[in-house]
């Protein structure tokens, strides 16, 4: 399966394991990335919402990207998040990614100020891209209004596509609103629309979408990757349906309690490394009781 | 008038002027701070929401604080904002403030993740304060749910006060909800409750509040300072009422269009420096038409 869209595939919104001192555990992170690739992920969207990116400083983020590359993950397999509240920091993080050989980044809008105008949102992205000033750059916009509280409206995307047609290549839409995703596919030919909600990937692919960047992939990479590879293969429809059902079940399983903490608990169980349970405040691990309930929930295990 | 509360007074949530390259204009900022003090402000709460703080990098913020001090503003007159999305950065900014001689900071909660638990919010503040590990530190919590989208509930404040009784000294409440402010005054004796809404300061002072940290102070410092000094002086009640009326009018004047851009337009007019109009994206200056309407609105001029 090939596509003119970029990025195109199943990308894991990777968790970030941390040490007892709350600093990123680079070794465990690299191992996790390798496993995700081995299980069939097209690549790793590191340092997104699920990766607790905005709980880390610019220096911590740069260092983790360098560790992933030093650990053998190809720059073409990495989609680091680089969008932060201050456009100067977004520029710094993105330039750093480009300097390491990574060309495609996932970019949140500045997320402190709410109710910003379309002009202001456009200006923030345009100023950032112009400051970076690098033709290699490929930007995936990041629409996650329930967390950023700064939605990216279609008219802003249209203006960005017109001004930066080879740079603003796609969007991660974590709104869960399939109609918004389909509207972008229809309105912006060649624009890569990736869902942040695992269960929607199958439908989206059938309608011209570019894949998924999702959190559940941390525990269900094989199934997501299978759905992605074979969604259009009539001969394997039953297998695709079964894999899709497991994806839906896995997502339901980690949605009972706090999702990110639940994912970390499941990776901790899989790896046997309880260090995976840790989260940097303000996020918190599951309580012992929640964790026990989650782990006992074998009926929904992927 | 004296009080055991700290901080206590009228603090300006100071605007940050910027150069054409969008970097902070330190010279114009220092001049503005001096004017605010000369007009009667107790101090300057720099690098808050109104100061576009979260649109600047850690290095830009440190540099602006150093410029204010080098410009002759006393460390005891400055309440810099130091709370950002990553607790490691909050620690770095706060330690820097302490190293310059500033002891009291205004601290937003980590503001990227929404719907965090009370435990998580408490842990974020506690971890931050413990990492800073400096007995000189005085923290003013910053409750501005309409912008941060992370409210600070009273049970969290209670736990922080119990754990850090000499450190967590007050709160800037920008919610505009007088009942929340009065509830904190009643529940937490000795806790400095400062309103972020100018018109509420008069009522709050009469009920044991500690003053105000507000945006309108950028253009109405004299009147706010007058209300603060004489709110309890029966012989000057008419003057206080007149000053309060002008404060309310000034706030209404800058609330017709985007507030921060309106304040910058009025400071630009007062100083004759059109550079004051600039804002860093995603915030934008007023349109020419909005600005003309604002400036023509002399009936409401303070």
């Amino acid at each position: 399966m090939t596509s003119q869209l970029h990025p195109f595939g199943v990308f894991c919104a990777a968790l970030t394991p941390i040490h007892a001192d709350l600093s990123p555990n680079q070794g465990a992170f690299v191992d996790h990335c390798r496993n995700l690739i081995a299980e069939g992920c097209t690549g790793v969207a590191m340092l997104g919402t699920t990766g607790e990116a905005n709980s880390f400083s610019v220096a911590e983020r740069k260092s983790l990207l360098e560790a992933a590359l030093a650990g053998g993950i190809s720059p073409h397999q990495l989609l680091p998040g680089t969008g932060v509240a201050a456009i100067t920091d977004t520029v710094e993080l993105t330039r750093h990614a480009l300097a390491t050989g990574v060309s495609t980044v996932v970019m949140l809008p500045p997320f402190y100020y709410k109710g910003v105008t379309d002009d202001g949102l456009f200006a923030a992205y345009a100023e950032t891209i112009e400051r970076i000033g690098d033709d290699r750059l490929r930007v995936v916009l990041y629409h996650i209004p329930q967390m950023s509280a700064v939605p990216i409206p279609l008219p802003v995307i249209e203006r960005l596509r017109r001004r930066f047609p080879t740079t603003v290549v796609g969007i991660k839409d974590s709104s869960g609103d399939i109609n918004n995703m389909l509207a972008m596919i229809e309105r912006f030919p060649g624009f890569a629309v990736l869902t942040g909600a695992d269960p929607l990937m199958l439908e989206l692919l059938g309608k011209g979408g570019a894949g998924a960047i999702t959190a559940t992939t941390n525990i269900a990479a094989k199934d997501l990757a299978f759905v992605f590879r074979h969604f259009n293969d009539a001969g394997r429809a039953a297998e695709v349906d079964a894999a899709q059902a497991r994806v839906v079940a896995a997502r339901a399983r980690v949605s009972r309690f706090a999702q990110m903490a639940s994912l970390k608990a499941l990776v901790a169980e899989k790896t046997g490394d309880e260090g995976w349970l840790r989260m940097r405040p303000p996020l918190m691990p599951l309580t012992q009781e929640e964790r026990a309930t989650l782990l006992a929930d074998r009926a929904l295990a992927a």
Side-chain angles (χ1 to χ4, degrees), chain A residues 265-281:
Chain A
L266 292 173
V267 177
E269 191 203 24
K270 183 178 173 184
T271 59
D273 174 5
E274 295 223 337
W276 265 104
L277 297 173
R278 297 185 197 106
M279 306 196 80
R280 188 178 274 199

Side-chain angles (χ1 to χ4, degrees), chain A residues 5-300:
Chain A
L5 301 174
H6 173 82
F8 184 67
V10 169
F11 300 87
C12 180
L15 295 161
T16 306
I18 57 176
H19 291 294
D21 70 358
L22 308 182
S23 66
N25 181 337
Q26 300 184 346
F29 179 72
V30 170
D31 288 344
H32 186 53
C33 289
R34 286 191 189 131
N35 288 339
L36 292 167
I37 302 285
E39 288 178 4
C41 283
T42 314
V44 178
M46 63 185 289
L47 289 170
T49 300
T50 303
E52 298 177 67
N54 292 309
S55 295
F56 298 116
S57 68
V58 167
E60 289 173 319
R61 293 167 72 136
K62 288 182 180 176
S63 186
L64 191 65
L65 175 57
E66 289 166 15
L69 293 163
I73 312 299
S74 158
H76 304 295
Q77 292 176 311
L78 290 171
L79 302 181
T82 61
V84 291
I87 60 176
T88 37
D89 283 336
T90 300
V91 169
E92 182 176 342
L93 284 166
T94 307
R95 278 189 180 149
H96 171 263
L98 288 161
T100 67
V102 169
S103 62
T104 310
V105 302
V106 181
M107 200 181 279
L108 276 170
F111 52 78
Y112 181 70
Y113 291 102
K114 310 303 188 295
V116 296
T117 61
D118 282 8
D119 284 349
L121 189 55
F122 173 80
Y125 273 119
E127 181 75 28
T128 300
I129 292 168
E130 283 165 3
R131 280 178 183 231
I132 295 164
D134 191 322
D135 288 343
R136 296 172 299 173
L137 176 63
R138 299 291 176 270
V139 171
V140 177
L141 306 173
Y142 190 1
H143 177 61
I144 181 167
Q146 71 275 30
M147 195 63 81
S148 65
V150 181
I152 307 178
L154 269 58
V156 172
I157 300 170
E158 185 157 50
R159 286 171 67 183
L160 287 169
R161 293 272 294 163
R162 201 158 50 220
R163 173 85 77 92
F164 307 103
T166 60
T167 303
V168 178
V169 294
I171 192 164
K172 174 182 178 186
D173 184 339
S174 293
S175 69
D177 176 2
I178 187 79
N179 291 324
N180 192 59
M181 299 176 218
L182 297 177
M184 292 188 288
I185 290 171
E186 182 174 334
R187 189 156 158 185
F188 310 126
F191 191 59
V193 177
L194 299 110
T195 175
D198 322 71
L200 298 180
M201 184 184 72
L202 181 55
E203 177 179 356
L204 197 67
L205 286 170
K207 292 177 174 169
I213 302 176
T214 77
T216 315
T217 314
N218 284 282
I219 57 162
K222 276 185 194 168
D223 286 321
L224 255 300
F226 188 88
V227 172
F228 180 77
R229 287 211 184 80
H230 302 292
F231 81 93
N232 220 2
D233 180 348
R236 306 189 80 157
E239 288 167 272
V240 167
D241 286 349
Q244 171 76 1
R246 286 192 297 272
V247 168
V248 171
R251 188 178 164 98
R253 188 182 186 199
V254 297
S255 300
R256 181 164 175 179
F257 305 117
Q259 189 190 56
M260 293 163 56
S262 298
L263 289 165
K264 280 197 158 178
L266 292 173
V267 177
E269 191 203 24
K270 183 178 173 184
T271 59
D273 174 5
E274 295 223 337
W276 265 104
L277 297 173
R278 297 185 197 106
M279 306 196 80
R280 188 178 274 199
L283 300 184
M284 297 290 278
L286 297 185
T287 63
Q288 287 205 346
E289 188 179 5
E290 288 170 340
R291 189 178 162 211
T293 304
L294 172 71
L295 297 182
D297 193 6
R298 300 283 164 192
L300 290 173

